[in-house]
Amino acid sequence: MCLTRMEELESCLSGLLSTLKKNREHVPLEVLKTQYKQPYEELVRNINLTASAYAKSVLLHRLVLNPDADVEEQCTVINQMIQTSGMLKKISSCMSKTYDVGQIYPLILELRHMVEQALWPYVNQATCLVADLDDIEKEPTIYNFLTHEVYENDTWIHREIDLRWKLLVYLTPEQRESVPPANHSMNGGIYHERTTI
């Protein structure tokens, strides 16, 4: 079985944190920082690099962007949310206290949810009404082309729609404001490949 990049990073980070925990439990910090300074600093540096790569892999895995909107602007929104959320400090603190990747994963998912919410105005630009021309009296379906979800019963549900013989009406900015964000988390979402990073 081939491990994904995310699983490889998780495994590597788990091993590095385990080594750090053992070192700190068996060797006084003063000794680690003096007598074993070079290997200790290298271990900490490797943990920071691996933790950063792991967090990015979780944050960006199949993250939906709108290819018809300014991608640089969307990337700026992502970076601003990451920097201003306060979650990086929480994740770092949790990692140094628990030495457990399983404890930081939910915090990274919480940050991812914040990023998805911040990107929603761009993703929501692809929300439209889909009317069936064969049954014009039927109420149109609210559909998002990027997430491939329909909005019904006050929730977004993944569903592909056959768009043949359908009338598509894109929502105005005012109408889009009344549509709540899709809850397209990486645990449940399936995304159109061209719209993900």
Side-chain angles (χ1 to χ4, degrees):
M1 184 174 98
C2 183
L3 292 177
T4 66
R5 173 79 173 139
M6 192 185 311
E7 290 169 331
E8 288 174 1
L9 288 167
E10 182 178 355
S11 177
C12 182
L13 181 58
S14 183
L16 290 168
L17 289 172
S18 177
T19 301
L20 180 65
K21 183 179 181 185
K22 286 176 190 170
N23 286 346
R24 287 186 174 170
E25 287 175 347
H26 296 98
V27 181
L29 190 57
E30 180 75 24
V31 175
L32 287 172
K33 289 185 173 182
T34 55
Q35 189 175 344
Y36 298 106
K37 181 178 179 180
Q38 186 177 349
Y40 177 73
E41 286 181 350
E42 187 172 331
L43 175 62
V44 170
R45 185 171 39 255
N46 284 338
I47 287 171
N48 288 335
L49 290 171
T50 306
S52 178
Y54 174 65
K56 284 179 186 173
S57 73
V58 174
L59 280 171
L60 301 178
H61 180 71
R62 295 184 174 179
L63 185 66
V64 177
L65 295 180
N66 186 339
D68 297 323
D70 187 331
V71 174
E72 282 186 35
E73 188 176 311
Q74 292 174 80
C75 289
T76 299
V77 167
I78 293 168
N79 288 325
Q80 284 177 341
M81 179 53 69
I82 290 170
Q83 296 304 318
T84 61
S85 67
M87 291 303 296
L88 292 181
K89 191 172 183 179
K90 277 185 180 180
I91 291 165
S92 179
S93 175
C94 177
M95 191 169 57
S96 66
K97 288 177 184 168
T98 67
Y99 307 99
D100 184 358
V101 177
Q103 296 287 322
I104 66 169
Y105 182 74
L107 296 174
I108 299 170
L109 285 184
E110 185 178 336
L111 176 55
R112 180 189 168 93
H113 181 70
M114 292 176 182
V115 167
E116 289 173 336
Q117 297 297 302
L119 288 173
W120 177 245
Y122 300 96
V123 175
N124 195 21
Q125 290 172 16
T127 301
C128 66
L129 297 176
V130 179
D132 189 342
L133 293 176
D134 289 331
D135 188 3
I136 204 67
E137 299 298 318
K138 183 179 175 186
E139 186 175 339
T141 302
I142 299 173
Y143 182 67
N144 187 286
F145 281 96
L146 299 178
T147 61
H148 298 272
E149 293 175 320
V150 296
Y151 186 72
E152 57 185 41
N153 300 324
D154 298 325
T155 190
W156 286 97
I157 301 162
H158 178 76
R159 184 180 310 139
E160 294 289 338
I161 291 183
D162 180 1
L163 297 175
R164 290 175 295 182
W165 300 104
K166 303 293 191 289
L167 173 66
L168 308 179
V169 180
Y170 282 88
L171 302 180
T172 65
E174 293 78 23
Q175 291 170 322
R176 285 196 307 262
E177 284 181 21
S178 67
V179 179
N183 188 17
H184 46 271
S185 70
M186 49 182 275
N187 291 332
I190 300 171
Y191 307 105
H192 192 276
E193 288 303 314
R194 77 181 187 95
T195 63
T196 61
I197 57 174

